[in-house]
């Protein structure tokens, strides 16, 4: 699981500055080894001497890897991704999801009202309609209140769906499925983008 991407060397002792992709960076400081994936896609384990979150920029972390003791050595790590095994992820409470688990899920729209047909077992209007696939998740900015948005790629383009309980009725990451009840007018609102 991707937790950071190395941006550049930091300092003159081999440390590197990395953009963090985890809400739980403090857990990284207790690790003795970590995996890195180079720009060619090859992954290897590397010893971790030290890790801390940048005080001035909490979205960045500083890694100091074993065997990396100079600016030149740190420069060779530019663009590398820092990974941890999926088994080492934090266990989230019910109703909370990792972005990586949501991306790629199929989104199905369930009808909001009652069926008009007398034979519900055969009613096509009761069958969920495939809306599209989640491509990304957008979050409100720092200090901004708001609901995250699912970027769903549909046959007609992009659709932004609020990740709210009254809209996303069921999320089953194991089945890679999200069932939604879209509010009236959402498709038209997104079509104007």
């Amino acid at each position: 699981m991707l937790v950071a991407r190395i941006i550049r060397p930091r300092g003159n002792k081999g440390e590197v500055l990395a953009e963090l992709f985890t809400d739980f960076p403090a857990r990284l400081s207790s690790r003795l080894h970590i995996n890195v994936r180079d720009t060619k896609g090859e992954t290897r384990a590397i010893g971790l001497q030290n890790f801390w979150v940048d005080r001035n920029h909490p979205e960045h972390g500083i890694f100091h890897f074993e065997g990396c003791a100079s600016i030149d050595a740190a420069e060779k790590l530019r663009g590398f991704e820092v990974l941890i095994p999926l088994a080492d992820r934090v266990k989230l409470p019910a109703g909370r999801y990792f972005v990586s688990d949501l991306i790629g899920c199929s989104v199905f729209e369930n009808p909001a009202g009652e069926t008009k047909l007398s034979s519900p077992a055969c009613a096509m209007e009761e069958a969920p309609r495939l809306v599209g696939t989640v491509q990304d998740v957008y979050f409100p900015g720092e200090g901004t209140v708001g609901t995250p948005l699912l970027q769903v790629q549909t046959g007609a383009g992009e659709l932004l769906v609020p990740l709210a309980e009254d809209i996303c009725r069921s999320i089953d990451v194991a089945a890679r499925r999200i069932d939604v009840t879209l509010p009236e007018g959402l498709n038209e609102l997104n079509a104007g983008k």
Side-chain angles (χ1 to χ4, degrees):
M1 181 175 108
L2 178 66
V3 293
R5 181 171 297 114
I6 297 171
I7 300 171
R8 61 176 171 79
R10 183 194 177 272
N12 59 4
K13 297 179 183 170
E15 298 99 346
V16 293
L17 180 73
E19 179 181 11
L20 297 174
F21 302 124
T22 176
D23 290 335
F24 310 97
R27 296 181 70 225
L28 298 173
S29 61
S30 63
R31 299 187 70 85
L32 299 176
H33 291 85
I34 204 148
N35 295 322
V36 293
R37 182 170 41 217
D38 64 24
T39 54
K40 296 175 187 171
E42 296 176 16
T43 302
R44 64 184 164 98
I46 189 168
L48 183 61
Q49 286 185 330
N50 204 356
F51 168 80
W52 66 95
V53 175
D54 188 319
R55 271 183 280 166
N56 298 322
H57 304 282
E59 69 278 4
H60 292 135
I62 293 92
F63 290 90
H64 192 191
F65 299 111
E66 288 179 3
C68 188
S70 68
I71 296 172
D72 289 339
E75 182 63 43
K76 293 176 184 173
L77 298 172
R78 185 185 293 261
F80 281 31
E81 295 176 330
V82 179
L83 312 165
I84 62 169
L86 285 176
D88 291 351
R89 291 195 304 186
V90 171
K91 303 294 183 232
L92 295 177
R96 302 278 311 265
Y97 306 95
F98 289 105
V99 171
S100 60
D101 288 344
L102 297 175
I103 293 174
C105 284
S106 296
V107 177
F108 290 89
E109 180 180 17
N110 293 306
E114 297 285 327
T115 181
K116 296 178 185 115
L117 300 178
S118 60
S119 176
C122 300
M124 282 304 291
E125 63 185 56
E126 275 194 7
R129 176 184 70 89
L130 177 63
V131 176
T133 305
V134 177
Q135 300 295 308
D136 206 348
V137 180
Y138 298 126
F139 293 91
E142 182 86 21
T144 304
V145 177
T147 303
L149 299 171
L150 298 175
Q151 177 193 5
V152 179
Q153 189 61 45
T154 72
E158 176 185 283
L159 176 67
L160 297 176
V161 177
L163 184 59
E165 285 182 26
D166 56 335
I167 295 172
C168 296
R169 301 292 185 159
S170 170
I171 299 175
D172 186 346
V173 293
R176 312 294 296 144
R177 179 183 176 122
I178 301 173
D179 288 297
V180 300
T181 301
L182 297 177
E184 188 174 328
L186 182 68
N187 283 320
E188 293 77 23
L189 178 67
N190 280 279
K193 296 218 178 261

